[in-house]
Amino acid sequence: GSTSSAKAPQQALTRARDRIAKTFTAPLDWFGNATVGGVSSLDIRYWVDATKYTAGGPVFVTMGGEGAAGPRSCSETCEELGGAMLAVEHRFFGESLPDHAAPLSNDFLQFLSVAQNAADTHAITEKVKQEFGTTKAVAHGGSYSGATCAWFRQKYPGTVNGCVSQSGVVHTVWDYLGFDETVWNATGVPDAACPGNIEKATDALQAEFVKGNGASIKKMFNAGNLVGTKLGDSDFFYAVADGLAMLDQYGNKQALCDGVRVASDASPTERIEAVKATLFANYGAQFASQCFYDSEC
């Protein structure tokens, strides 16, 4: 991996938050030194906010999740403790990819794992701790990254003093349907028609794809970037389903049910338009095109 000087220059500790990503060159395979097509490494992006740092303060490690990462500001707790905020991008997401024409091929994706990500984060955290001359660090994350936070603490107890895991999915279940079933049931209270409206709109979308109109539907949702890509159809339906589910999950169920409510004899096109309008109204017109829902991003 990359090497670093024993201690960063003093001006690095007081600079304005750096929005330009730094990179750490990690082995493609931490545990077997494997190569693919002559490629043996990949650059992992990370960001550091040292604007509130005081000597001896801790490093707060924001665990990478299943999407592109970016700079994170020092939180209130970080500021109170004179800490620095470190954000690490998860390998194979965002721009943390192997330098290859097909970085997301199965040959490479065998090295997309919790263990490999933890090893990346371990190395970067140790590098940053060394630069700041501190032995203190706390990891944090939510959902999937909440789980990796907990596992990271278990695997590398000498690297972080603790982990704050929010909704950490530490017990994985194959083909877990409980979340979707809970959302489905919740949308029916108090509006009993809401689940049916969502189902009919989803059926209408799927029917258009069966008829070969998937490209035009994607463009209708401003997701033209998903046209012709290997996982474009799956990415599109993930964006639609996730956008609707999040409205229920995060307290906007009424906006969801109001948005998909149409006349009982509404046409499939009207139902699709209602879904589009609901997503646009709550997330913006570019929701389905964002990098998080594009497997090739």
Side-chain angles (χ1 to χ4, degrees):
S2 296
T3 58
S4 63
S5 60
K7 185 170 291 187
Q10 182 61 33
Q11 61 265 29
L13 304 183
T14 57
R15 66 181 180 274
R17 180 159 59 109
D18 191 352
R19 287 188 169 274
I20 300 175
K22 303 178 184 301
T23 58
F24 176 88
T25 302
L28 180 63
D29 178 15
W30 281 98
F31 312 109
N33 298 316
T35 63
V36 174
V39 176
S40 61
S41 64
L42 72 167
D43 287 344
I44 306 297
R45 297 195 301 172
Y46 68 97
W47 296 259
V48 178
D49 177 9
T51 55
K52 307 299 180 181
Y53 187 76
T54 57
V59 173
F60 288 87
V61 185
T62 303
M63 301 296 294
E66 63 278 36
R72 296 291 297 269
S73 297
C74 187
S75 64
E76 182 177 339
T77 301
C78 170
E79 183 175 355
E80 288 176 356
L81 298 176
M85 183 66 73
L86 164 64
V88 181
E89 187 165 68
H90 198 301
R91 61 168 48 205
F92 290 98
F93 291 98
E95 296 180 20
S96 296
L97 301 167
D99 184 12
H100 189 271
L104 296 177
S105 67
N106 288 337
D107 288 340
F108 280 112
L109 289 181
Q110 64 180 305
F111 302 108
L112 168 57
S113 70
V114 169
Q116 298 283 359
N117 170 62
D120 295 338
T121 308
H122 160 68
I124 293 171
T125 302
E126 288 293 352
K127 176 180 186 295
V128 173
K129 285 168 58 182
Q130 183 182 20
E131 290 176 349
F132 283 85
T134 184
T135 60
K136 305 170 186 175
V138 177
H140 60 98
S143 192
Y144 166 65
S145 58
T148 61
C149 171
W151 294 326
F152 181 50
R153 164 64 175 158
Q154 286 183 316
K155 178 65 176 177
Y156 300 102
T159 297
V160 287
N161 302 90
C163 155
V164 179
S165 174
Q166 297 175 298
S167 302
V169 190
V170 294
H171 177 59
T172 54
V173 179
W174 190 255
D175 284 340
Y176 178 67
L177 302 177
F179 173 79
D180 292 329
E181 291 172 347
T182 298
V183 170
W184 174 263
N185 292 332
T187 57
V189 181
D191 185 353
C194 187
N197 285 332
I198 296 171
E199 181 177 22
K200 290 174 183 177
T202 302
D203 289 344
L205 280 168
Q206 292 176 331
E208 290 300 313
F209 276 72
V210 170
K211 289 187 291 186
N213 297 329
S216 61
I217 292 294
K218 291 173 185 175
K219 291 175 183 178
M220 173 182 171
F221 282 72
N222 291 332
N225 56 303
L226 302 180
V227 174
T229 61
K230 185 176 181 180
L231 298 175
D233 290 358
S234 296
D235 286 340
F236 174 77
F237 278 103
Y238 173 39
V240 172
D242 198 38
L244 298 180
M246 285 193 297
L247 289 175
D248 173 73
Q249 184 182 7
Y250 296 111
N252 291 310
K253 180 168 60 176
Q254 184 172 346
L256 165 61
C257 293
D258 287 349
V260 298
R261 185 183 298 115
V262 293
S264 59
D265 60 349
S267 68
T269 299
E270 288 173 319
R271 293 187 182 278
I272 292 172
E273 286 283 356
V275 170
K276 185 191 81 168
T278 300
L279 295 178
F280 282 19
N282 288 278
Y283 304 110
Q286 302 305 317
F287 173 74
S289 68
Q290 62 183 303
C291 195
F292 186 82
Y293 298 111
D294 186 347
S295 294
E296 297 194 4
C297 183

